[in-house]
Amino acid sequence: MVDTNLDAFRFSISWSRLIPNRRGPVNQKGLQFYKNLIQELVNHGIEPYVTLHHFDHPQYLEDEYEGWLNHMIVEDFTAYADVCFREFGNHVKFWTTINEGNIFSIGGYNDGDSPPGRCSIPGQNCLLGNSSTEPYIVGHNLLLAHASVSRLYKQNYKDKQGGSIGFSILTIGFSPSTSSKDDAIATQRANDFFNGWMLGPLIYGDYPDTMKRIVGSRMPVFSEEESEQVKGSSDYIGINHYLAASITNSKLKPSISGNPDFYSDMNVILSFFANFSSSEYDVAPWAIEAVLEYVKQSYGNPPVYVLENGRPINRDSQLKEKDTPRIEFLQAYIGGVLKSIRNGSDTRGYFVWSLMDLYEIKGGYDVGYGLYSVNFSDPHRKRSPKLSAHWYSDFLKGKTAFLGSQGITELQSNLSPYS
């Protein structure tokens, strides 16, 4: 990290590593692991950006009351966050409670292809689940848990520690496939379902009207008190962004199973320009510009941190390609962020996904997003810089000319700290 010239690093704490059994004792080895990491970052002038929930929670809670499907998890998640604030908060000023709240709900409870693998869609081989209701229940509990943690921090820690609390979603740059009115309406509906689902409550205290109308009684309802707690509970919005998609209106039809699910509720045809597990990626910086403009226009221009942005490349082709496609991707998207800032977006940070190759939810070890390769068969997990690591390091040191000296200066002044 120091060699690359990072001045900030985003990582996630594993709830399961820290507190394996609900309110049981804290795992001291896990606690010390994170204390060592955070202290080492601070010693080298690197700002830690910490995520509390990144797709994993203790198996104990899943077995006891089905995890995020049960409102009881709000209290347990708050207790876990309390430990983190108390133990790490003197050095951590940026806390993201939930990583990709929308995707965790969809992937884990509608599609069943990510943890905990619940669904009722035929052909997905899920043993348990209900894709008609569970994604919305989980999303609701994620928002309530975030609001509870935010309230805890502001009441007990903020005055002393001076940190900020955020919530992240995965965003897709949507554009209508034609100039028709139907496709324009469908694109707004896709934005409401995919982005507004979480942003609406966080900014305005309730779900988008479109969602409430379509999902109906399956959509959980915030009490007046809950609405006030969720509204304004994020000091910033975390944006994870990789993909662009064109939107075509779909004539209303039942889902494959005969029961509604998230996609039949959204009722659009998505045509992606790439996918997470593919090395065939279009460079479409307009997509991140569209997302940041959408957040600015529709949700009052809140502070935004781009917490993930990057490009996968198949591991067996990376050395041959010298990962120049990743450099082209990052160069274009960082330029898109700069353009958005110039257009008034309150974007304050940008993080590449990822510093080094790791196990991906989509793609496992077959694809790598890392600036550094990792030899997974080496017991020491030797890390080696790819061409993109050298390029990114030069960019952070102000040596890359693609934005021009003025552009680099603008980014450095707006994205502070950035990595």
Side-chain angles (χ1 to χ4, degrees):
M1 296 181 202
V2 173
D3 290 344
T4 310
N5 207 43
L6 299 189
D7 63 4
F9 179 65
R10 174 180 175 250
F11 68 93
S12 303
I13 291 175
S14 170
W15 184 356
S16 307
R17 174 180 281 163
L18 211 57
I19 312 174
N21 297 314
R22 198 175 183 187
R23 303 296 179 82
V26 174
N27 172 18
Q28 291 302 312
K29 289 184 178 180
L31 185 70
Q32 195 61 47
F33 171 85
Y34 290 115
K35 281 188 173 182
N36 292 346
L37 171 60
I38 291 167
Q39 188 62 56
E40 199 71 9
L41 289 169
V42 172
N43 288 349
H44 286 86
I46 299 171
E47 184 86 45
Y49 279 63
V50 176
T51 298
L52 293 174
H53 183 272
H54 197 139
F55 290 9
D56 70 322
H57 56 272
Q59 183 66 40
Y60 184 90
L61 304 185
E62 193 71 14
D63 295 339
E64 184 175 349
Y65 56 65
E66 296 188 318
W68 286 103
L69 284 167
N70 195 309
H71 187 268
M72 290 171 64
I73 201 167
V74 172
E75 188 175 347
D76 285 330
F77 185 67
T78 305
Y80 154 60
D82 195 17
V83 171
C84 293
F85 296 153
R86 184 177 68 246
E87 298 290 345
F88 313 128
N90 288 337
H91 291 310
V92 177
K93 306 306 176 189
F94 295 89
W95 298 94
T96 301
T97 55
I98 305 294
N99 177 71
E100 295 183 356
N102 52 349
I103 290 301
F104 177 70
S105 303
I106 296 167
Y109 298 86
N110 187 85
D111 302 350
D113 59 2
S114 62
R118 296 176 63 98
C119 72
S120 56
I121 297 175
Q124 288 296 90
N125 297 319
C126 295
L127 298 177
L128 297 167
N130 185 335
S131 300
S132 296
T133 58
E134 290 188 1
Y136 303 115
I137 294 169
V138 169
H140 196 72
N141 286 334
L142 290 172
L143 289 163
L144 292 175
H146 161 81
S148 174
V149 168
S150 177
R151 186 168 64 253
L152 168 75
Y153 188 80
K154 289 171 182 174
Q155 289 176 350
N156 296 356
Y157 295 98
K158 190 173 181 67
D159 286 346
K160 181 180 178 181
Q161 297 179 355
S164 300
I165 304 290
F167 185 104
S168 93
I169 62 171
L170 179 75
T171 62
I172 297 172
F174 294 128
S175 62
S177 60
T178 72
S179 59
S180 72
K181 182 179 179 181
D182 284 348
D183 286 349
I185 294 172
T187 301
Q188 180 57 52
R189 188 166 64 248
N191 271 316
D192 284 342
F193 267 80
F194 209 82
N195 302 318
W197 180 15
M198 302 289 159
L199 293 180
L202 292 171
I203 304 299
Y204 301 123
D206 202 3
Y207 299 113
D209 290 339
T210 306
M211 286 193 79
K212 292 194 294 182
R213 175 176 55 82
I214 293 172
V215 181
S217 61
R218 291 178 289 121
M219 198 79 198
V221 177
F222 292 111
S223 68
E224 187 174 339
E225 181 183 7
E226 289 171 339
S227 176
E228 286 301 313
Q229 289 172 353
V230 174
K231 180 181 178 181
S233 58
S234 264
D235 298 314
Y236 63 88
I237 301 298
I239 295 296
N240 295 4
H241 178 80
Y242 299 90
L243 299 172
S246 65
I247 299 293
T248 304
N249 185 49
S250 173
K251 294 182 180 179
L252 186 64
K253 57 183 182 297
S255 66
I256 298 171
S257 64
N259 296 310
D261 59 32
F262 179 82
Y263 298 114
S264 67
D265 288 338
M266 187 165 63
N267 200 36
V268 302
I269 299 171
L270 290 165
S271 299
F272 287 101
F273 294 104
N275 63 66
F276 282 107
S277 57
S278 169
S279 60
E280 298 297 323
Y281 243 56
D282 282 353
V283 177
W286 61 263
I288 198 165
E289 294 170 33
V291 165
L292 294 174
E293 183 67 18
Y294 167 78
V295 173
K296 182 185 80 173
Q297 295 285 355
S298 300
Y299 294 98
N301 201 20
V304 166
Y305 287 85
V306 179
L307 294 178
E308 292 183 20
N309 179 235
R311 186 202 192 281
I313 298 177
N314 290 337
R315 287 184 60 222
D316 59 1
S317 67
Q318 292 198 38
L319 291 178
K320 295 177 184 177
E321 292 189 61
K322 303 289 187 186
D323 83 342
T324 50
R326 178 173 290 114
I327 295 173
E328 294 166 358
F329 181 96
L330 295 176
Q331 178 169 293
Y333 279 73
I334 292 171
V337 171
L338 174 60
K339 187 175 179 181
S340 297
I341 292 170
R342 286 172 170 169
N343 289 332
S345 170
D346 190 8
T347 301
R348 302 184 182 186
Y350 173 90
F351 293 81
V352 172
W353 183 269
S354 54
L355 176 66
M356 62 187 103
D357 288 340
L358 42 77
Y359 183 84
E360 294 288 343
I361 290 285
K362 304 282 188 178
Y365 291 115
D366 292 335
V367 296
Y369 285 79
L371 302 175
Y372 288 78
S373 63
V374 179
N375 184 346
F376 291 106
S377 54
D378 176 4
H380 300 293
R381 302 291 188 265
K382 179 177 171 59
R383 282 92 164 160
S384 303
K386 303 174 190 174
L387 193 61
S388 59
H390 296 293
W391 176 89
Y392 195 53
S393 178
D394 284 346
F395 164 68
L396 295 177
K397 294 171 183 174
K399 296 179 181 179
T400 304
F402 81 94
L403 292 177
S405 59
Q406 180 182 349
I408 291 175
T409 300
E410 284 185 67
L411 271 176
Q412 290 174 339
S413 62
N414 281 281
L415 308 186
S416 181
Y418 68 95
S419 72

